[in-house]
Amino acid sequence: TTNMVPTVYDYDNAYELYGQTWIWRENEYCCVLMGYNQTKGTVILADPMHGIVEYDMFTFYDRYIEQYESALVIEEGAVLAEETE
């Protein structure tokens, strides 16, 4: 989430799709996890609005869970699906 604040759910704009209720998360945000420091208990992120930032590791984990554990891993040498067709 933006600035690692708790997720804000917009229940007024919930909608039904495929028999499920979907609720928009207003402060959903994307950044790149660059590293962590276990001694300090922090994570280092590349944040598009704030540059390189450091946040509490446990707060970061809480936000990760709130955002349905959404993550994307890009590995060096990975093959794109379109390259295999």
Side-chain angles (χ1 to χ4, degrees):
T1 61
T2 310
N3 299 318
M4 290 294 137
V5 297
T7 300
V8 176
Y9 299 95
D10 183 2
Y11 294 100
D12 293 333
N13 290 307
Y15 60 95
E16 296 289 327
L17 183 65
Y18 304 117
Q20 270 191 295
T21 301
W22 298 84
I23 300 168
W24 187 258
R25 296 165 296 200
E26 290 184 356
N27 57 338
E28 188 174 42
Y29 193 62
C30 185
C31 51
V32 176
L33 176 62
M34 297 175 58
Y36 60 93
N37 183 322
Q38 276 188 308
T39 304
K40 290 172 61 178
T42 59
V43 294
I44 297 100
L45 305 175
D47 183 310
M49 288 190 344
H50 304 291
I52 306 302
V53 293
E54 195 169 9
Y55 288 109
D56 175 77
M57 187 179 288
F58 298 103
T59 302
F60 176 80
Y61 181 74
D62 288 344
R63 300 305 166 256
Y64 172 70
I65 296 301
E66 288 175 4
Q67 296 295 320
Y68 306 109
E69 302 177 30
S70 298
L72 173 67
V73 176
I74 301 172
E75 295 182 27
E76 186 175 346
V79 177
L80 299 175
E82 61 192 38
E83 293 176 350
T84 61
E85 295 175 358

